[in-house]
Amino acid sequence: MKQAAVEGMKKELETMAPRVKQVMKQTRARVLHGDTHAEGKPVSVFEPTTEVIRRGKAKQPTEFGKMIKVQEAESQIITSYEVFAKRPSDSELLVPAVEAHCERLGRVPELVAADAGFYSAQGEKTATWGS
């Protein structure tokens, strides 16, 4: 029993030690040299895949986590969702969203509503192929 606990703690230390070293290195670079653009900067040592999410509006706070896309059809039925490893440009999401709708429901949607960032002239042209 004690050996299993020791092994578990050893594994946790082996995971955390490199993360803490990375944070210390980046902190020195920022404080001593003013370098705020460290490559691969972790936001959280406990959840290293967390990303900084900025919405591009001064009044909106910076958020931390992962970007997800939730897609729904009539009657608020969720037809698709996706969790992104890296935040994509919103304008890249329209065509795959319409394709997912077609795959699941067998037709192009009559109406699409999305955040303004999803819009691009090319995306609109491509997404209306069935109209």
Side-chain angles (χ1 to χ4, degrees), residues 1-14:
M1 179 81 156
K2 289 181 182 180
Q3 184 63 30
V6 170
E7 288 298 320
M9 287 186 252
K10 179 183 176 213
K11 185 176 179 180
E12 189 171 341
L13 281 171
E14 288 171 347

Side-chain angles (χ1 to χ4, degrees), residues 12-73:
E12 189 171 341
L13 281 171
E14 288 171 347
T15 299
M16 293 301 287
R19 294 178 189 172
V20 172
K21 285 179 184 178
Q22 177 70 13
V23 169
M24 290 170 55
K25 177 182 170 187
Q26 291 169 193
T27 301
R28 281 189 203 100
R30 181 181 188 115
V31 173
L32 301 177
H33 306 291
D35 181 6
T36 60
H37 301 289
E39 188 66 32
K41 179 170 37 177
V43 177
S44 168
V45 293
F46 301 105
E47 186 61 47
T49 62
T50 296
E51 293 183 296
V52 176
I53 301 172
R54 293 194 176 98
R55 300 204 181 259
K57 299 175 185 171
K59 292 182 180 182
Q60 299 247 338
T62 298
E63 297 176 343
F64 302 92
K66 286 292 185 190
M67 184 179 144
I68 63 167
K69 175 185 66 79
V70 177
Q71 189 171 322
E72 58 185 54

Side-chain angles (χ1 to χ4, degrees), residues 71 93-103 107-109 112 126-129:
Q71 189 171 322
L93 301 175
L94 179 65
V95 172
V98 172
E99 289 172 346
H101 178 93
C102 291
E103 183 179 308
R107 63 179 176 82
V108 175
V112 174
T126 304
T128 57
W129 73 84

